[in-house]
Amino acid sequence: MQCQFNEMDLENWAQFSADRNPVHFDADFAIANGHSGRIVHGMLAMMPLKNHLANEATEGDQPSEIKLHLKHAIGLHQQISYTTAPPQRLKVSADSKTLYSGSAKPRIDPDILTGIAPERKRPILERFSAQALHEKHALLQRTIDSEVHPAVFWDAILFSIYIEDNRKTALASDVQRFLASEGISEHQPYVVYQISHTLSLIQAQWQALDGQDFESIHYSVKGKDLVRVNDSIFGSVVFMLYCHDQPLLAVEMGLIANLLEQQT
């Protein structure tokens, strides 16, 4: 499977997710930050592969845990290839260079289930109206030019919540506490990048979005342990999606917070 992303794809994803990091839209900014030009959003670049694997999982005894590590950025208009190889190794590559790598497994990591916290769940309609969810679904289908699996749609919705909350998310508040414990000022600037993404399909059967009872959909979020290596802090955020209090899927985003030099 091959793909490339253009300016309209980036704009559509930005409208969906509210991710308008200038590295995706300003070539000069991207070059100043070590890239050859504008780069594709990581979530957008992963989506065709995740959508294909999620459909396989629904159809039979196929991968239920999809994990990808983002090693190198994907350039705008760059021709990329998605490949799988036994035992379900995943690769996103271009010009013989591996950009993303990962795995797809038939069973999810049991540790992810420790993130189930129905007592902390929040209704999805608190964040989006039913009409807005349908509009986002249509926008996502136009963006990847394919029928979107419900799990991949909700994966994208949870990511958009992370982007919207940004500094208020579990990781952001955890980083602030971590900095304090390390004796670093809470005013120390830092920037966060996504370095991995795990989508775990806890339920095999999915209801089409057209017939979805959105009032039954809730989500929860929490941060996991942080580790500091030099001027970088590694951690993750875990989102859980529920329907009638039963977990449907989990999304774990591996993140790195790079400490920046304070301006004098």
Side-chain angles (χ1 to χ4, degrees), residues 231-257:
D231 289 332
S232 297
I233 299 171
F234 296 87
S236 63
V237 170
V238 179
F239 281 88
M240 195 74 65
L241 190 77
Y242 310 85
C243 181
H244 297 295
D245 292 335
Q246 297 300 310
L248 286 179
L249 63 80
V251 174
E252 180 169 358
M253 293 182 286
L255 304 160
I256 179 173

PDB file of all heavy atoms in Angstrom, residues 231-257:
ATOM      1  N   ASP A 231      17.997  16.413  29.037  1.00  0.00           N
ATOM      2  CA  ASP A 231      17.014  17.491  28.932  1.00  0.00           C
ATOM      3  C   ASP A 231      15.707  17.032  28.297  1.00  0.00           C
ATOM      4  O   ASP A 231      14.956  17.837  27.747  1.00  0.00           O
ATOM      5  CB  ASP A 231      17.587  18.662  28.119  1.00  0.00           C
ATOM      6  CG  ASP A 231      18.673  19.405  28.872  1.00  0.00           C
ATOM      7  OD1 ASP A 231      18.632  19.400  30.125  1.00  0.00           O
ATOM      8  OD2 ASP A 231      19.571  19.977  28.221  1.00  0.00           O
ATOM      9  N   SER A 232      15.433  15.740  28.380  1.00  0.00           N
ATOM     10  CA  SER A 232      14.190  15.203  27.835  1.00  0.00           C
ATOM     11  C   SER A 232      13.448  14.426  28.909  1.00  0.00           C
ATOM     12  O   SER A 232      14.070  13.749  29.738  1.00  0.00           O
ATOM     13  CB  SER A 232      14.472  14.293  26.634  1.00  0.00           C
ATOM     14  OG  SER A 232      15.074  15.014  25.578  1.00  0.00           O
ATOM     15  N   ILE A 233      12.128  14.535  28.891  1.00  0.00           N
ATOM     16  CA  ILE A 233      11.279  13.796  29.817  1.00  0.00           C
ATOM     17  C   ILE A 233      10.362  12.911  28.986  1.00  0.00           C
ATOM     18  O   ILE A 233       9.634  13.399  28.109  1.00  0.00           O
ATOM     19  CB  ILE A 233      10.462  14.749  30.700  1.00  0.00           C
ATOM     20  CG1 ILE A 233      11.391  15.621  31.546  1.00  0.00           C
ATOM     21  CG2 ILE A 233       9.516  13.962  31.618  1.00  0.00           C
ATOM     22  CD1 ILE A 233      10.685  16.727  32.291  1.00  0.00           C
ATOM     23  N   PHE A 234      10.426  11.609  29.247  1.00  0.00           N
ATOM     24  CA  PHE A 234       9.618  10.643  28.513  1.00  0.00           C
ATOM     25  C   PHE A 234       8.421  10.230  29.368  1.00  0.00           C
ATOM     26  O   PHE A 234       8.547  10.003  30.576  1.00  0.00           O
ATOM     27  CB  PHE A 234      10.439   9.404  28.161  1.00  0.00           C
ATOM     28  CG  PHE A 234      11.582   9.684  27.234  1.00  0.00           C
ATOM     29  CD1 PHE A 234      12.815  10.086  27.723  1.00  0.00           C
ATOM     30  CD2 PHE A 234      11.423   9.545  25.860  1.00  0.00           C
ATOM     31  CE1 PHE A 234      13.878  10.342  26.869  1.00  0.00           C
ATOM     32  CE2 PHE A 234      12.478   9.801  24.997  1.00  0.00           C
ATOM     33  CZ  PHE A 234      13.716  10.199  25.502  1.00  0.00           C
ATOM     34  N   GLY A 235       7.269  10.144  28.748  1.00  0.00           N
ATOM     35  CA  GLY A 235       6.070   9.712  29.449  1.00  0.00           C
ATOM     36  C   GLY A 235       5.010   9.297  28.452  1.00  0.00           C
ATOM     37  O   GLY A 235       5.276   9.178  27.249  1.00  0.00           O
ATOM     38  N   SER A 236       3.823   9.072  28.932  1.00  0.00           N
ATOM     39  CA  SER A 236       2.735   8.704  28.022  1.00  0.00           C
ATOM     40  C   SER A 236       1.393   9.110  28.612  1.00  0.00           C
ATOM     41  O   SER A 236       1.266   9.334  29.820  1.00  0.00           O
ATOM     42  CB  SER A 236       2.749   7.200  27.726  1.00  0.00           C
ATOM     43  OG  SER A 236       2.520   6.457  28.896  1.00  0.00           O
ATOM     44  N   VAL A 237       0.427   9.215  27.748  1.00  0.00           N
ATOM     45  CA  VAL A 237      -0.956   9.500  28.117  1.00  0.00           C
ATOM     46  C   VAL A 237      -1.812   8.356  27.596  1.00  0.00           C
ATOM     47  O   VAL A 237      -1.649   7.925  26.444  1.00  0.00           O
ATOM     48  CB  VAL A 237      -1.433  10.838  27.521  1.00  0.00           C
ATOM     49  CG1 VAL A 237      -2.934  11.013  27.704  1.00  0.00           C
ATOM     50  CG2 VAL A 237      -0.701  12.001  28.159  1.00  0.00           C
ATOM     51  N   VAL A 238      -2.709   7.853  28.443  1.00  0.00           N
ATOM     52  CA  VAL A 238      -3.589   6.755  28.055  1.00  0.00           C
ATOM     53  C   VAL A 238      -5.033   7.236  28.071  1.00  0.00           C
ATOM     54  O   VAL A 238      -5.523   7.717  29.101  1.00  0.00           O
ATOM     55  CB  VAL A 238      -3.436   5.540  28.995  1.00  0.00           C
ATOM     56  CG1 VAL A 238      -4.391   4.429  28.586  1.00  0.00           C
ATOM     57  CG2 VAL A 238      -2.002   5.032  28.995  1.00  0.00           C
ATOM     58  N   PHE A 239      -5.692   7.129  26.935  1.00  0.00           N
ATOM     59  CA  PHE A 239      -7.121   7.403  26.821  1.00  0.00           C
ATOM     60  C   PHE A 239      -7.858   6.075  26.764  1.00  0.00           C
ATOM     61  O   PHE A 239      -7.386   5.118  26.138  1.00  0.00           O
ATOM     62  CB  PHE A 239      -7.441   8.188  25.547  1.00  0.00           C
ATOM     63  CG  PHE A 239      -7.145   9.657  25.620  1.00  0.00           C
ATOM     64  CD1 PHE A 239      -5.894  10.145  25.297  1.00  0.00           C
ATOM     65  CD2 PHE A 239      -8.132  10.554  26.001  1.00  0.00           C
ATOM     66  CE1 PHE A 239      -5.625  11.493  25.353  1.00  0.00           C
ATOM     67  CE2 PHE A 239      -7.876  11.914  26.062  1.00  0.00           C
ATOM     68  CZ  PHE A 239      -6.609  12.385  25.733  1.00  0.00           C
ATOM     69  N   MET A 240      -9.023   6.031  27.400  1.00  0.00           N
ATOM     70  CA  MET A 240      -9.885   4.850  27.319  1.00  0.00           C
ATOM     71  C   MET A 240     -11.259   5.318  26.841  1.00  0.00           C
ATOM     72  O   MET A 240     -11.776   6.341  27.314  1.00  0.00           O
ATOM     73  CB  MET A 240     -10.000   4.189  28.684  1.00  0.00           C
ATOM     74  CG  MET A 240     -10.554   2.783  28.656  1.00  0.00           C
ATOM     75  SD  MET A 240      -9.386   1.549  28.036  1.00  0.00           S
ATOM     76  CE  MET A 240      -8.115   1.609  29.309  1.00  0.00           C
ATOM     77  N   LEU A 241     -11.847   4.573  25.908  1.00  0.00           N
ATOM     78  CA  LEU A 241     -13.182   4.875  25.405  1.00  0.00           C
ATOM     79  C   LEU A 241     -14.141   3.800  25.887  1.00  0.00           C
ATOM     80  O   LEU A 241     -13.826   2.610  25.838  1.00  0.00           O
ATOM     81  CB  LEU A 241     -13.185   4.926  23.882  1.00  0.00           C
ATOM     82  CG  LEU A 241     -14.465   5.465  23.240  1.00  0.00           C
ATOM     83  CD1 LEU A 241     -14.514   6.985  23.351  1.00  0.00           C
ATOM     84  CD2 LEU A 241     -14.545   5.055  21.765  1.00  0.00           C
ATOM     85  N   TYR A 242     -15.325   4.215  26.365  1.00  0.00           N
ATOM     86  CA  TYR A 242     -16.314   3.290  26.913  1.00  0.00           C
ATOM     87  C   TYR A 242     -17.640   3.446  26.190  1.00  0.00           C
ATOM     88  O   TYR A 242     -17.985   4.533  25.711  1.00  0.00           O
ATOM     89  CB  TYR A 242     -16.572   3.576  28.396  1.00  0.00           C
ATOM     90  CG  TYR A 242     -15.348   3.700  29.251  1.00  0.00           C
ATOM     91  CD1 TYR A 242     -14.669   4.910  29.358  1.00  0.00           C
ATOM     92  CD2 TYR A 242     -14.868   2.620  29.985  1.00  0.00           C
ATOM     93  CE1 TYR A 242     -13.551   5.040  30.157  1.00  0.00           C
ATOM     94  CE2 TYR A 242     -13.744   2.734  30.792  1.00  0.00           C
ATOM     95  CZ  TYR A 242     -13.088   3.955  30.868  1.00  0.00           C
ATOM     96  OH  TYR A 242     -11.979   4.084  31.660  1.00  0.00           O
ATOM     97  N   CYS A 243     -18.381   2.360  26.139  1.00  0.00           N
ATOM     98  CA  CYS A 243     -19.764   2.385  25.693  1.00  0.00           C
ATOM     99  C   CYS A 243     -20.584   1.652  26.741  1.00  0.00           C
ATOM    100  O   CYS A 243     -20.328   0.464  27.010  1.00  0.00           O
ATOM    101  CB  CYS A 243     -19.904   1.728  24.329  1.00  0.00           C
ATOM    102  SG  CYS A 243     -21.591   1.748  23.679  1.00  0.00           S
ATOM    103  N   HIS A 244     -21.550   2.341  27.345  1.00  0.00           N
ATOM    104  CA  HIS A 244     -22.330   1.768  28.444  1.00  0.00           C
ATOM    105  C   HIS A 244     -21.405   1.192  29.524  1.00  0.00           C
ATOM    106  O   HIS A 244     -21.613   0.084  30.026  1.00  0.00           O
ATOM    107  CB  HIS A 244     -23.286   0.685  27.930  1.00  0.00           C
ATOM    108  CG  HIS A 244     -24.323   1.194  26.989  1.00  0.00           C
ATOM    109  ND1 HIS A 244     -25.315   2.087  27.370  1.00  0.00           N
ATOM    110  CD2 HIS A 244     -24.527   0.932  25.665  1.00  0.00           C
ATOM    111  CE1 HIS A 244     -26.080   2.360  26.326  1.00  0.00           C
ATOM    112  NE2 HIS A 244     -25.626   1.676  25.284  1.00  0.00           N
ATOM    113  N   ASP A 245     -20.364   1.945  29.857  1.00  0.00           N
ATOM    114  CA  ASP A 245     -19.390   1.600  30.904  1.00  0.00           C
ATOM    115  C   ASP A 245     -18.470   0.441  30.546  1.00  0.00           C
ATOM    116  O   ASP A 245     -17.615   0.064  31.346  1.00  0.00           O
ATOM    117  CB  ASP A 245     -20.089   1.289  32.243  1.00  0.00           C
ATOM    118  CG  ASP A 245     -20.738   2.519  32.855  1.00  0.00           C
ATOM    119  OD1 ASP A 245     -20.281   3.632  32.541  1.00  0.00           O
ATOM    120  OD2 ASP A 245     -21.686   2.358  33.636  1.00  0.00           O
ATOM    121  N   GLN A 246     -18.610  -0.131  29.358  1.00  0.00           N
ATOM    122  CA  GLN A 246     -17.728  -1.207  28.936  1.00  0.00           C
ATOM    123  C   GLN A 246     -16.610  -0.627  28.057  1.00  0.00           C
ATOM    124  O   GLN A 246     -16.879   0.134  27.128  1.00  0.00           O
ATOM    125  CB  GLN A 246     -18.494  -2.268  28.152  1.00  0.00           C
ATOM    126  CG  GLN A 246     -19.566  -2.970  28.962  1.00  0.00           C
ATOM    127  CD  GLN A 246     -18.986  -3.688  30.173  1.00  0.00           C
ATOM    128  OE1 GLN A 246     -18.010  -4.446  30.057  1.00  0.00           O
ATOM    129  NE2 GLN A 246     -19.566  -3.444  31.339  1.00  0.00           N
ATOM    130  N   PRO A 247     -15.337  -0.955  28.351  1.00  0.00           N
ATOM    131  CA  PRO A 247     -14.243  -0.402  27.540  1.00  0.00           C
ATOM    132  C   PRO A 247     -14.282  -0.914  26.106  1.00  0.00           C
ATOM    133  O   PRO A 247     -14.448  -2.107  25.860  1.00  0.00           O
ATOM    134  CB  PRO A 247     -12.993  -0.875  28.276  1.00  0.00           C
ATOM    135  CG  PRO A 247     -13.429  -2.083  29.033  1.00  0.00           C
ATOM    136  CD  PRO A 247     -14.857  -1.842  29.414  1.00  0.00           C
ATOM    137  N   LEU A 248     -14.145   0.011  25.173  1.00  0.00           N
ATOM    138  CA  LEU A 248     -14.125  -0.328  23.749  1.00  0.00           C
ATOM    139  C   LEU A 248     -12.706  -0.357  23.199  1.00  0.00           C
ATOM    140  O   LEU A 248     -12.325  -1.264  22.479  1.00  0.00           O
ATOM    141  CB  LEU A 248     -14.933   0.696  22.954  1.00  0.00           C
ATOM    142  CG  LEU A 248     -16.452   0.657  23.029  1.00  0.00           C
ATOM    143  CD1 LEU A 248     -17.032   1.783  22.192  1.00  0.00           C
ATOM    144  CD2 LEU A 248     -16.971  -0.676  22.550  1.00  0.00           C
ATOM    145  N   LEU A 249     -11.951   0.671  23.519  1.00  0.00           N
ATOM    146  CA  LEU A 249     -10.587   0.753  23.009  1.00  0.00           C
ATOM    147  C   LEU A 249      -9.744   1.584  23.960  1.00  0.00           C
ATOM    148  O   LEU A 249     -10.260   2.339  24.779  1.00  0.00           O
ATOM    149  CB  LEU A 249     -10.532   1.323  21.586  1.00  0.00           C
ATOM    150  CG  LEU A 249     -11.000   2.763  21.311  1.00  0.00           C
ATOM    151  CD1 LEU A 249      -9.944   3.798  21.681  1.00  0.00           C
ATOM    152  CD2 LEU A 249     -11.352   2.933  19.843  1.00  0.00           C
ATOM    153  N   ALA A 250      -8.436   1.407  23.824  1.00  0.00           N
ATOM    154  CA  ALA A 250      -7.473   2.211  24.566  1.00  0.00           C
ATOM    155  C   ALA A 250      -6.484   2.807  23.579  1.00  0.00           C
ATOM    156  O   ALA A 250      -6.124   2.176  22.580  1.00  0.00           O
ATOM    157  CB  ALA A 250      -6.742   1.362  25.599  1.00  0.00           C
ATOM    158  N   VAL A 251      -6.074   4.026  23.855  1.00  0.00           N
ATOM    159  CA  VAL A 251      -5.079   4.706  23.030  1.00  0.00           C
ATOM    160  C   VAL A 251      -3.970   5.192  23.961  1.00  0.00           C
ATOM    161  O   VAL A 251      -4.235   5.950  24.892  1.00  0.00           O
ATOM    162  CB  VAL A 251      -5.686   5.913  22.288  1.00  0.00           C
ATOM    163  CG1 VAL A 251      -4.602   6.693  21.556  1.00  0.00           C
ATOM    164  CG2 VAL A 251      -6.763   5.450  21.309  1.00  0.00           C
ATOM    165  N   GLU A 252      -2.757   4.717  23.722  1.00  0.00           N
ATOM    166  CA  GLU A 252      -1.612   5.195  24.503  1.00  0.00           C
ATOM    167  C   GLU A 252      -0.663   5.949  23.583  1.00  0.00           C
ATOM    168  O   GLU A 252      -0.197   5.405  22.585  1.00  0.00           O
ATOM    169  CB  GLU A 252      -0.875   4.048  25.183  1.00  0.00           C
ATOM    170  CG  GLU A 252       0.316   4.533  26.010  1.00  0.00           C
ATOM    171  CD  GLU A 252       0.922   3.476  26.907  1.00  0.00           C
ATOM    172  OE1 GLU A 252       0.395   2.342  26.926  1.00  0.00           O
ATOM    173  OE2 GLU A 252       1.919   3.765  27.588  1.00  0.00           O
ATOM    174  N   MET A 253      -0.414   7.206  23.923  1.00  0.00           N
ATOM    175  CA  MET A 253       0.499   8.038  23.153  1.00  0.00           C
ATOM    176  C   MET A 253       1.791   8.196  23.929  1.00  0.00           C
ATOM    177  O   MET A 253       1.793   8.733  25.042  1.00  0.00           O
ATOM    178  CB  MET A 253      -0.122   9.403  22.877  1.00  0.00           C
ATOM    179  CG  MET A 253      -1.313   9.377  21.949  1.00  0.00           C
ATOM    180  SD  MET A 253      -1.952  11.034  21.611  1.00  0.00           S
ATOM    181  CE  MET A 253      -2.768  11.394  23.172  1.00  0.00           C
ATOM    182  N   GLY A 254       2.890   7.697  23.360  1.00  0.00           N
ATOM    183  CA  GLY A 254       4.201   7.923  23.949  1.00  0.00           C
ATOM    184  C   GLY A 254       4.689   9.311  23.551  1.00  0.00           C
ATOM    185  O   GLY A 254       4.641   9.689  22.377  1.00  0.00           O
ATOM    186  N   LEU A 255       5.138  10.062  24.528  1.00  0.00           N
ATOM    187  CA  LEU A 255       5.488  11.467  24.300  1.00  0.00           C
ATOM    188  C   LEU A 255       6.846  11.792  24.897  1.00  0.00           C
ATOM    189  O   LEU A 255       7.293  11.167  25.851  1.00  0.00           O
ATOM    190  CB  LEU A 255       4.423  12.379  24.922  1.00  0.00           C
ATOM    191  CG  LEU A 255       2.988  12.127  24.437  1.00  0.00           C
ATOM    192  CD1 LEU A 255       1.986  12.693  25.421  1.00  0.00           C
ATOM    193  CD2 LEU A 255       2.793  12.754  23.056  1.00  0.00           C
ATOM    194  N   ILE A 256       7.499  12.780  24.300  1.00  0.00           N
ATOM    195  CA  ILE A 256       8.745  13.286  24.841  1.00  0.00           C
ATOM    196  C   ILE A 256       8.611  14.792  25.022  1.00  0.00           C
ATOM    197  O   ILE A 256       8.173  15.494  24.098  1.00  0.00           O
ATOM    198  CB  ILE A 256       9.945  12.939  23.939  1.00  0.00           C
ATOM    199  CG1 ILE A 256      11.238  13.498  24.513  1.00  0.00           C
ATOM    200  CG2 ILE A 256       9.734  13.428  22.512  1.00  0.00           C
ATOM    201  CD1 ILE A 256      12.479  13.045  23.768  1.00  0.00           C
ATOM    202  N   ALA A 257       8.935  15.267  26.210  1.00  0.00           N
ATOM    203  CA  ALA A 257       8.942  16.700  26.495  1.00  0.00           C
ATOM    204  C   ALA A 257      10.395  17.155  26.525  1.00  0.00           C
ATOM    205  O   ALA A 257      11.159  16.752  27.406  1.00  0.00           O
ATOM    206  CB  ALA A 257       8.255  16.991  27.828  1.00  0.00           C
TER     207      ALA A 257
END
